[in-house]
PDB file of all heavy atoms in Angstrom:
ATOM      1  N   ASN M 352      38.125  48.003 -13.228  1.00 97.00           N
ATOM      2  CA  ASN M 352      36.735  47.607 -13.440  1.00 97.00           C
ATOM      3  C   ASN M 352      36.696  46.221 -14.066  1.00 97.00           C
ATOM      4  O   ASN M 352      37.732  45.670 -14.435  1.00 97.00           O
ATOM      5  CB  ASN M 352      35.999  48.626 -14.312  1.00 97.00           C
ATOM      6  CG  ASN M 352      36.554  48.690 -15.720  1.00 97.00           C
ATOM      7  OD1 ASN M 352      36.252  47.857 -16.561  1.00 97.00           O
ATOM      8  ND2 ASN M 352      37.413  49.695 -15.979  1.00 97.00           N
ATOM      9  N   HIS M 353      35.493  45.680 -14.205  1.00 97.00           N
ATOM     10  CA  HIS M 353      35.333  44.329 -14.744  1.00 97.00           C
ATOM     11  C   HIS M 353      34.518  44.324 -16.035  1.00 97.00           C
ATOM     12  O   HIS M 353      34.029  43.268 -16.457  1.00 97.00           O
ATOM     13  CB  HIS M 353      34.630  43.432 -13.719  1.00 97.00           C
ATOM     14  CG  HIS M 353      35.124  43.584 -12.316  1.00 97.00           C
ATOM     15  ND1 HIS M 353      34.469  44.352 -11.381  1.00 97.00           N
ATOM     16  CD2 HIS M 353      36.214  43.079 -11.696  1.00 97.00           C
ATOM     17  CE1 HIS M 353      35.128  44.308 -10.236  1.00 97.00           C
ATOM     18  NE2 HIS M 353      36.194  43.550 -10.391  1.00 97.00           N
ATOM     19  N   ALA M 354      34.346  45.485 -16.658  1.00 97.00           N
ATOM     20  CA  ALA M 354      33.453  45.585 -17.811  1.00 97.00           C
ATOM     21  C   ALA M 354      33.881  44.656 -18.945  1.00 97.00           C
ATOM     22  O   ALA M 354      33.043  44.023 -19.600  1.00 97.00           O
ATOM     23  CB  ALA M 354      33.373  47.030 -18.302  1.00 97.00           C
ATOM     24  N   GLY M 355      35.181  44.571 -19.192  1.00 96.00           N
ATOM     25  CA  GLY M 355      35.654  43.710 -20.270  1.00 96.00           C
ATOM     26  C   GLY M 355      35.317  42.254 -20.027  1.00 96.00           C
ATOM     27  O   GLY M 355      34.831  41.541 -20.928  1.00 96.00           O
ATOM     28  N   GLU M 356      35.588  41.777 -18.814  1.00 97.00           N
ATOM     29  CA  GLU M 356      35.263  40.385 -18.489  1.00 97.00           C
ATOM     30  C   GLU M 356      33.771  40.128 -18.602  1.00 97.00           C
ATOM     31  O   GLU M 356      33.335  39.086 -19.121  1.00 97.00           O
ATOM     32  CB  GLU M 356      35.732  40.039 -17.073  1.00 97.00           C
ATOM     33  CG  GLU M 356      37.236  40.025 -16.874  1.00 97.00           C
ATOM     34  CD  GLU M 356      37.725  41.357 -16.306  1.00 97.00           C
ATOM     35  OE1 GLU M 356      37.173  42.417 -16.677  1.00 97.00           O
ATOM     36  OE2 GLU M 356      38.666  41.321 -15.483  1.00 97.00           O
ATOM     37  N   LEU M 357      32.949  41.084 -18.134  1.00 98.00           N
ATOM     38  CA  LEU M 357      31.508  40.890 -18.179  1.00 98.00           C
ATOM     39  C   LEU M 357      30.995  40.843 -19.608  1.00 98.00           C
ATOM     40  O   LEU M 357      30.137  40.017 -19.947  1.00 98.00           O
ATOM     41  CB  LEU M 357      30.817  42.006 -17.391  1.00 98.00           C
ATOM     42  CG  LEU M 357      30.960  41.895 -15.869  1.00 98.00           C
ATOM     43  CD1 LEU M 357      30.597  43.211 -15.201  1.00 98.00           C
ATOM     44  CD2 LEU M 357      30.083  40.766 -15.338  1.00 98.00           C
ATOM     45  N   ARG M 358      31.504  41.721 -20.455  1.00 97.00           N
ATOM     46  CA  ARG M 358      31.085  41.687 -21.859  1.00 97.00           C
ATOM     47  C   ARG M 358      31.436  40.339 -22.502  1.00 97.00           C
ATOM     48  O   ARG M 358      30.630  39.766 -23.257  1.00 97.00           O
ATOM     49  CB  ARG M 358      31.759  42.822 -22.629  1.00 97.00           C
ATOM     50  CG  ARG M 358      31.121  44.188 -22.433  1.00 97.00           C
ATOM     51  CD  ARG M 358      31.650  45.149 -23.489  1.00 97.00           C
ATOM     52  NE  ARG M 358      30.946  46.420 -23.493  1.00 97.00           N
ATOM     53  CZ  ARG M 358      31.434  47.558 -23.014  1.00 97.00           C
ATOM     54  NH1 ARG M 358      32.647  47.573 -22.478  1.00 97.00           N
ATOM     55  NH2 ARG M 358      30.735  48.667 -23.062  1.00 97.00           N
ATOM     56  N   MET M 359      32.618  39.847 -22.225  1.00 97.00           N
ATOM     57  CA  MET M 359      33.043  38.567 -22.792  1.00 97.00           C
ATOM     58  C   MET M 359      32.144  37.434 -22.292  1.00 97.00           C
ATOM     59  O   MET M 359      31.690  36.587 -23.062  1.00 97.00           O
ATOM     60  CB  MET M 359      34.498  38.286 -22.416  1.00 97.00           C
ATOM     61  CG  MET M 359      35.034  36.971 -22.971  1.00 97.00           C
ATOM     62  SD  MET M 359      36.668  36.584 -22.307  1.00 97.00           S
ATOM     63  CE  MET M 359      36.279  36.305 -20.573  1.00 97.00           C
ATOM     64  N   LEU M 360      31.854  37.435 -20.993  1.00 97.00           N
ATOM     65  CA  LEU M 360      31.021  36.373 -20.418  1.00 97.00           C
ATOM     66  C   LEU M 360      29.603  36.420 -20.971  1.00 97.00           C
ATOM     67  O   LEU M 360      28.997  35.380 -21.248  1.00 97.00           O
ATOM     68  CB  LEU M 360      31.000  36.487 -18.893  1.00 97.00           C
ATOM     69  CG  LEU M 360      32.318  36.156 -18.189  1.00 97.00           C
ATOM     70  CD1 LEU M 360      32.286  36.627 -16.740  1.00 97.00           C
ATOM     71  CD2 LEU M 360      32.597  34.653 -18.262  1.00 97.00           C
ATOM     72  N   LEU M 361      29.070  37.622 -21.156  1.00 97.00           N
ATOM     73  CA  LEU M 361      27.706  37.748 -21.666  1.00 97.00           C
ATOM     74  C   LEU M 361      27.600  37.407 -23.142  1.00 97.00           C
ATOM     75  O   LEU M 361      26.494  37.156 -23.644  1.00 97.00           O
ATOM     76  CB  LEU M 361      27.191  39.167 -21.431  1.00 97.00           C
ATOM     77  CG  LEU M 361      26.787  39.497 -19.997  1.00 97.00           C
ATOM     78  CD1 LEU M 361      26.627  41.001 -19.814  1.00 97.00           C
ATOM     79  CD2 LEU M 361      25.499  38.772 -19.610  1.00 97.00           C
ATOM     80  N   SER M 362      28.717  37.376 -23.857  1.00 96.00           N
ATOM     81  CA  SER M 362      28.693  37.039 -25.286  1.00 96.00           C
ATOM     82  C   SER M 362      28.629  35.537 -25.532  1.00 96.00           C
ATOM     83  O   SER M 362      28.432  35.108 -26.667  1.00 96.00           O
ATOM     84  CB  SER M 362      29.931  37.618 -25.981  1.00 96.00           C
ATOM     85  OG  SER M 362      31.112  36.933 -25.559  1.00 96.00           O
ATOM     86  N   ARG M 363      28.764  34.762 -24.467  1.00 94.00           N
ATOM     87  CA  ARG M 363      28.747  33.308 -24.639  1.00 94.00           C
ATOM     88  C   ARG M 363      27.362  32.821 -25.043  1.00 94.00           C
ATOM     89  O   ARG M 363      26.338  33.327 -24.568  1.00 94.00           O
ATOM     90  CB  ARG M 363      29.180  32.600 -23.355  1.00 94.00           C
ATOM     91  CG  ARG M 363      30.631  32.864 -22.963  1.00 94.00           C
ATOM     92  CD  ARG M 363      31.003  32.086 -21.721  1.00 94.00           C
ATOM     93  NE  ARG M 363      30.084  32.384 -20.613  1.00 94.00           N
ATOM     94  CZ  ARG M 363      30.049  31.701 -19.476  1.00 94.00           C
ATOM     95  NH1 ARG M 363      30.864  30.677 -19.297  1.00 94.00           N
ATOM     96  NH2 ARG M 363      29.205  32.036 -18.519  1.00 94.00           N
ATOM     97  N   VAL M 364      27.329  31.801 -25.871  1.00 86.00           N
ATOM     98  CA  VAL M 364      26.071  31.216 -26.329  1.00 86.00           C
ATOM     99  C   VAL M 364      25.526  30.277 -25.255  1.00 86.00           C
ATOM    100  O   VAL M 364      26.280  29.576 -24.579  1.00 86.00           O
ATOM    101  CB  VAL M 364      26.279  30.444 -27.655  1.00 86.00           C
ATOM    102  CG1 VAL M 364      24.997  29.744 -28.091  1.00 86.00           C
ATOM    103  CG2 VAL M 364      26.784  31.380 -28.738  1.00 86.00           C
ATOM    104  N   GLY M 365      24.218  30.280 -25.090  1.00 91.00           N
ATOM    105  CA  GLY M 365      23.587  29.299 -24.211  1.00 91.00           C
ATOM    106  C   GLY M 365      23.478  29.699 -22.755  1.00 91.00           C
ATOM    107  O   GLY M 365      23.144  28.864 -21.907  1.00 91.00           O
ATOM    108  N   LEU M 366      23.735  30.955 -22.420  1.00 95.00           N
ATOM    109  CA  LEU M 366      23.585  31.395 -21.036  1.00 95.00           C
ATOM    110  C   LEU M 366      22.116  31.350 -20.631  1.00 95.00           C
ATOM    111  O   LEU M 366      21.233  31.746 -21.391  1.00 95.00           O
ATOM    112  CB  LEU M 366      24.088  32.829 -20.871  1.00 95.00           C
ATOM    113  CG  LEU M 366      25.589  33.076 -20.708  1.00 95.00           C
ATOM    114  CD1 LEU M 366      25.818  34.560 -20.475  1.00 95.00           C
ATOM    115  CD2 LEU M 366      26.167  32.270 -19.571  1.00 95.00           C
ATOM    116  N   GLY M 367      21.860  30.879 -19.437  1.00 97.00           N
ATOM    117  CA  GLY M 367      20.514  30.892 -18.921  1.00 97.00           C
ATOM    118  C   GLY M 367      20.078  32.294 -18.533  1.00 97.00           C
ATOM    119  O   GLY M 367      20.907  33.201 -18.360  1.00 97.00           O
ATOM    120  N   ALA M 368      18.767  32.478 -18.365  1.00 97.00           N
ATOM    121  CA  ALA M 368      18.229  33.807 -18.071  1.00 97.00           C
ATOM    122  C   ALA M 368      18.778  34.364 -16.770  1.00 97.00           C
ATOM    123  O   ALA M 368      19.071  35.561 -16.662  1.00 97.00           O
ATOM    124  CB  ALA M 368      16.700  33.748 -18.020  1.00 97.00           C
ATOM    125  N   ALA M 369      18.939  33.502 -15.764  1.00 97.00           N
ATOM    126  CA  ALA M 369      19.440  33.986 -14.476  1.00 97.00           C
ATOM    127  C   ALA M 369      20.857  34.522 -14.611  1.00 97.00           C
ATOM    128  O   ALA M 369      21.180  35.594 -14.068  1.00 97.00           O
ATOM    129  CB  ALA M 369      19.386  32.864 -13.437  1.00 97.00           C
TER     130      ALA M 369
END
Side-chain angles (χ1 to χ4, degrees):
N352 65 80
H353 317 99
E356 293 96 324
L357 287 164
R358 281 194 172 105
M359 180 188 66
L360 291 166
L361 284 166
S362 69
R363 295 182 305 169
V364 176
L366 279 184

